[in-house]
Amino acid sequence: NRRLFFKSAGNQVLSQFFNKNKAVGFVSRHQGTSQNNDFYQVGTLKTNSGDFRVTFFIRKENGEIYLKRLRIELSETDF
């Protein structure tokens, strides 16, 4: 189920997610630089209600850091 959000709506969705799923840890599995020169990281977010696979892309422009993409999905143990 893929949905795109603007910043304000995205903040609200993330707030709701973390209210339901209290974070207890994060384990980085892989990181690097994409072809578009964005930093990315893939890992496992451990919460009180289970594990989630997290992938995010960050871009740096004009000295500012932007979250370009964030994906949170139920974790499958075969990373």
Side-chain angles (χ1 to χ4, degrees):
N1 187 359
R2 185 177 200 188
R3 296 183 286 173
L4 299 175
F5 299 98
F6 289 103
K7 185 177 180 179
S8 60
N11 286 338
Q12 185 177 11
V13 169
L14 283 175
S15 179
Q16 290 171 353
F17 173 84
F18 283 108
N19 283 336
K20 292 179 184 176
N21 305 284
K22 306 290 184 202
V24 295
F26 181 81
V27 178
S28 177
R29 303 290 184 190
H30 182 74
Q31 65 184 25
T33 304
S34 73
Q35 293 176 348
N36 295 328
N37 214 25
D38 298 329
F39 172 79
Y40 68 90
Q41 190 165 26
V42 179
T44 302
L45 173 66
K46 300 195 172 286
T47 74
N48 63 331
S49 58
D51 293 350
F52 294 86
R53 178 185 171 117
V54 175
T55 305
F56 62 88
F57 287 80
I58 296 175
R59 169 166 282 182
K60 186 173 182 179
E61 281 183 12
N62 302 322
E64 298 286 329
I65 297 174
Y66 299 94
L67 178 61
K68 185 174 177 182
R69 182 184 310 165
L70 172 65
R71 173 182 255 165
I72 301 172
E73 52 196 336
L74 285 174
S75 182
E76 296 188 22
T77 57
D78 58 346
F79 249 97

